[in-house]
Amino acid sequence: MTVFSRIAAAAALALLMVSGTAIAQGASVAFGGLKHDASLPVEITADELSVDQATGSAVFIGNVVAGQGEMRLSAGRVQVQYATENGQATGRIDQLIATGSVTLVNGAEAAEAEKAIYSVSSSEIVMTGNVILTQGQNALSGEKLTVDLTSGSGRMEGRVRTIFQTGGNK
């Protein structure tokens, strides 16, 4: 995460705490911008790659960016788990496990967290650890964000804090 994005995230969180905050334990929210086609190919770039044929995994380290269509996932480290059949890796990606300043961007929506697990076959992303989601001028924070990329629906859990802009000027 860049210094600018950390400052912006901190400012958004401070704004959440100071002004008209709605607080809940869990919140369902529409994630239309995070709707996504998981059948598209995944492209990954990084500073380093380690492959373990025995476990059927690959680990990308350093400035990792994984792209699929319009969606971008960046992190310090991304482990790729391949699907297996009869104990053999198929070459199909099952999961991407991202750690270290994780950022997910799709369209005008962006989310940051400490960890993210993208299950490609179920088209679901689970982000955990100090999650901050921005949707235009709205911001939402919590400990766990689960997004169904097929439907564009999601759920934020764990001491949820949010600000919804009403559009009114007073």
Side-chain angles (χ1 to χ4, degrees):
M1 182 182 333
T2 66
V3 172
F4 177 76
S5 63
R6 284 184 192 272
I7 292 170
L13 191 54
L15 184 60
L16 284 173
M17 292 181 195
V18 172
S19 50
T21 305
I23 300 175
Q25 286 295 47
S28 295
V29 181
F31 295 94
L34 291 178
K35 197 168 181 179
H36 175 70
D37 181 0
S39 69
L40 297 171
V42 176
E43 179 183 341
I44 302 175
T45 59
D47 295 336
E48 182 181 323
L49 168 64
S50 297
V51 177
D52 185 342
Q53 294 293 341
T55 62
S57 69
V59 178
F60 293 86
I61 300 169
N63 301 306
V64 184
V65 178
Q68 187 179 40
E70 296 296 315
M71 187 173 70
R72 295 287 174 266
L73 177 77
S74 63
R77 179 182 191 273
V78 173
Q79 179 177 355
V80 178
Q81 293 286 346
Y82 293 97
T84 58
E85 288 179 13
N86 301 319
Q88 299 294 317
T90 63
R92 284 188 339 268
I93 294 175
D94 183 43
Q95 289 186 331
L96 297 177
I97 302 166
T99 55
S101 299
V102 179
T103 303
L104 174 70
V105 177
N106 198 20
E109 296 179 332
E112 296 179 2
E114 294 170 8
K115 181 177 182 179
I117 299 175
Y118 174 24
S119 299
V120 177
S121 60
S122 64
S123 299
E124 179 181 83
I125 295 179
V126 178
M127 300 182 79
T128 55
N130 299 314
V131 181
I132 297 174
L133 171 71
T134 57
Q135 296 176 300
Q137 294 182 344
N138 298 323
L140 188 64
S141 68
E143 283 303 310
K144 179 179 178 185
L145 170 64
T146 304
V147 179
D148 179 333
L149 294 171
T150 303
S151 67
S153 65
R155 181 167 179 82
M156 181 74 81
E157 300 174 70
R159 200 64 186 157
V160 177
R161 294 178 180 263
T162 187
I163 294 177
F164 294 112
Q165 298 297 330
T166 61
N169 293 332
K170 292 190 179 201

